[in-house]
Each structure stands twice: as C-alpha cells, then as structure tokens.
Coordinates of all heavy atoms in Angstrom, one line a residue:
P182 N -3.5 6.8 -1.1 CA -3.0 5.6 -1.7 C -4.0 4.5 -1.7 O -5.1 4.5 -1.1 CB -1.8 5.2 -0.8 CG -2.2 5.8 0.5 CD -2.9 7.1 0.2
V183 N -3.7 3.4 -2.4 CA -4.3 2.1 -2.3 C -3.4 1.3 -1.4 O -2.2 1.1 -1.6 CB -4.5 1.4 -3.6 CG1 -4.8 -0.1 -3.4 CG2 -5.6 2.0 -4.4
L184 N -4.0 0.8 -0.3 CA -3.3 -0.1 0.6 C -4.2 -1.3 0.9 O -5.1 -1.2 1.8 CB -2.9 0.6 2.0 CG -2.2 1.9 1.9 CD1 -2.1 2.5 3.3 CD2 -0.8 1.7 1.3
D185 N -4.1 -2.3 0.1 CA -5.2 -3.3 0.1 C -4.8 -4.6 -0.6 O -3.8 -4.6 -1.4 CB -6.5 -2.8 -0.6 CG -7.8 -3.5 -0.2 OD1 -7.7 -4.4 0.7 OD2 -8.8 -3.1 -0.7
Q186 N -5.5 -5.7 -0.4 CA -5.5 -6.9 -1.2 C -6.4 -6.7 -2.4 O -7.5 -6.1 -2.3 CB -5.9 -8.1 -0.4 CG -5.7 -9.4 -1.2 CD -5.9 -10.7 -0.4 OE1 -5.5 -11.7 -0.9 NE2 -6.4 -10.6 0.7
T187 N -6.0 -7.2 -3.5 CA -6.8 -7.0 -4.7 C -7.7 -8.2 -4.9 O -7.7 -9.2 -4.1 CB -5.8 -7.0 -6.0 OG1 -5.3 -8.3 -6.2 CG2 -4.7 -6.0 -5.8
P188 N -8.6 -8.2 -5.9 CA -9.4 -9.4 -6.2 C -8.6 -10.7 -6.5 O -9.2 -11.7 -6.4 CB -10.3 -8.9 -7.3 CG -10.3 -7.4 -7.2 CD -9.0 -7.1 -6.7
L189 N -7.4 -10.5 -6.8 CA -6.5 -11.7 -7.1 C -6.0 -12.2 -5.7 O -5.2 -11.4 -5.1 CB -5.4 -11.4 -8.0 CG -5.8 -11.0 -9.4 CD1 -4.6 -10.5 -10.2 CD2 -6.6 -12.1 -10.1
S190 N -6.4 -13.3 -5.2 CA -6.0 -13.8 -3.9 C -4.5 -13.8 -3.8 O -3.8 -14.5 -4.6 CB -6.6 -15.1 -3.6 OG -6.3 -15.6 -2.4
G191 N -4.0 -13.2 -2.7 CA -2.6 -13.2 -2.5 C -1.8 -12.0 -3.1 O -0.6 -11.9 -2.9
F192 N -2.5 -11.2 -3.9 CA -1.9 -10.0 -4.5 C -2.3 -8.7 -3.9 O -3.5 -8.4 -3.8 CB -2.3 -10.0 -6.0 CG -1.6 -8.9 -6.8 CD1 -0.2 -8.7 -6.7 CD2 -2.3 -8.2 -7.7 CE1 0.4 -7.7 -7.4 CE2 -1.6 -7.2 -8.5 CZ -0.3 -6.9 -8.3
F193 N -1.3 -8.0 -3.3 CA -1.5 -6.8 -2.5 C -0.9 -5.6 -3.2 O 0.1 -5.8 -3.9 CB -1.0 -7.0 -1.1 CG -1.5 -8.1 -0.3 CD1 -1.2 -9.4 -0.5 CD2 -2.4 -7.8 0.7 CE1 -1.7 -10.4 0.2 CE2 -3.0 -8.8 1.5 CZ -2.6 -10.1 1.3
I194 N -1.5 -4.5 -3.0 CA -0.9 -3.3 -3.6 C -0.8 -2.2 -2.6 O -1.6 -1.9 -1.7 CB -1.8 -2.7 -4.8 CG1 -1.8 -3.7 -5.9 CG2 -1.4 -1.4 -5.3 CD1 -2.7 -3.3 -7.1
A195 N 0.4 -1.5 -2.6 CA 0.6 -0.3 -1.8 C 1.2 0.8 -2.8 O 2.4 0.7 -3.1 CB 1.6 -0.5 -0.7
T196 N 0.4 1.6 -3.3 CA 0.8 2.6 -4.3 C -0.1 3.8 -4.3 O -1.0 3.9 -3.6 CB 0.8 1.9 -5.7 OG1 1.7 2.7 -6.6 CG2 -0.6 1.8 -6.3
G197 N 0.3 4.8 -5.2 CA -0.5 6.0 -5.2 C -0.3 6.9 -4.0 O -1.2 7.6 -3.6
L198 N 0.9 7.0 -3.6 CA 1.2 7.8 -2.4 C 1.3 9.3 -2.6 O 1.4 10.1 -1.7 CB 2.5 7.3 -1.7 CG 2.4 5.9 -1.2 CD1 3.8 5.3 -0.9 CD2 1.6 5.9 0.1
S199 N 1.1 9.7 -3.9 CA 0.7 11.0 -4.3 C 1.6 12.1 -3.8 O 1.1 13.2 -3.5 CB -0.7 11.3 -3.9 OG -1.6 10.3 -4.5
G200 N 2.9 11.9 -3.8 CA 3.8 12.9 -3.4 C 4.1 13.1 -1.9 O 4.8 14.0 -1.5
H201 N 3.4 12.3 -1.1 CA 3.7 12.4 0.3 C 4.0 11.0 0.9 O 3.7 10.7 2.0 CB 2.6 13.1 1.1 CG 1.2 12.6 0.7 ND1 0.4 13.2 -0.2 CD2 0.5 11.6 1.1 CE1 -0.7 12.6 -0.4 NE2 -0.7 11.6 0.5
G202 N 4.7 10.2 0.1 CA 4.9 8.8 0.5 C 6.2 8.6 1.3 O 6.3 7.6 2.1
F203 N 7.2 9.4 1.1 CA 8.4 9.2 1.9 C 8.2 9.2 3.4 O 8.6 8.3 4.1 CB 9.4 10.3 1.4 CG 10.7 10.2 2.2 CD1 11.6 9.2 1.9 CD2 11.1 11.2 3.1 CE1 12.8 9.1 2.6 CE2 12.3 11.1 3.8 CZ 13.2 10.1 3.6
G204 N 7.5 10.3 3.8 CA 7.3 10.4 5.3 C 6.5 9.3 5.9 O 6.8 8.8 7.0
I205 N 5.5 8.9 5.2 CA 4.5 7.9 5.7 C 5.0 6.5 5.4 O 4.4 5.5 5.9 CB 3.1 8.1 5.2 CG1 2.1 7.5 6.1 CG2 3.0 7.6 3.7 CD1 0.6 7.8 5.7
G206 N 6.1 6.3 4.7 CA 6.6 5.1 4.2 C 6.7 4.0 5.2 O 6.1 2.9 5.0
P207 N 7.4 4.2 6.3 CA 7.5 3.1 7.3 C 6.1 2.7 7.9 O 5.9 1.5 8.2 CB 8.4 3.7 8.4 CG 9.2 4.7 7.7 CD 8.3 5.3 6.7
G208 N 5.2 3.6 8.1 CA 3.9 3.3 8.5 C 3.1 2.4 7.5 O 2.5 1.5 7.9
V209 N 3.3 2.8 6.2 CA 2.7 1.9 5.2 C 3.3 0.5 5.2 O 2.6 -0.5 5.1 CB 2.9 2.6 3.8 CG1 2.6 1.6 2.7 CG2 2.1 3.8 3.7
G210 N 4.7 0.5 5.4 CA 5.3 -0.8 5.5 C 4.8 -1.7 6.6 O 4.6 -2.9 6.5
R211 N 4.5 -1.1 7.8 CA 4.0 -1.8 8.9 C 2.6 -2.3 8.6 O 2.2 -3.4 8.9 CB 4.0 -1.0 10.2 CG 3.6 -1.6 11.5 CD 4.6 -2.8 11.9 NE 4.1 -4.1 11.4 CZ 4.8 -5.2 11.6 NH1 6.0 -5.2 12.1 NH2 4.3 -6.4 11.2
V212 N 1.7 -1.4 8.1 CA 0.4 -1.8 7.7 C 0.3 -2.9 6.7 O -0.4 -3.9 6.9 CB -0.4 -0.6 7.1 CG1 -1.6 -1.0 6.3 CG2 -0.7 0.5 8.2

C-alpha cells in the first residue's frame, strides 16, 4: 500500500492494500 502524506500538505493516503487489507486494517489505522 501507500501509507503516507502526499505533496499536498495535510492530505494523507492509505490505499492499495492489494487484497490483504482486511487483516492488517487496524494496524494501518494505528499507523
């Protein structure tokens, strides 16, 4: 995935979990 702030200040993205996002989801949420 992308887990990052973008070049637009204040705009963050968490996406591209590629079919294995359900399990890791709470970890992504904490990150």
Side-chain angles (χ1 to χ4, degrees):
V183 165
L184 308 175
D185 201 3
Q186 182 169 198
T187 74
L189 299 175
S190 180
F192 184 43
F193 299 77
I194 294 181
T196 199
L198 293 163
S199 301
H201 46 265
F203 177 71
I205 203 173
V209 168
R211 185 65 264 174
V212 162

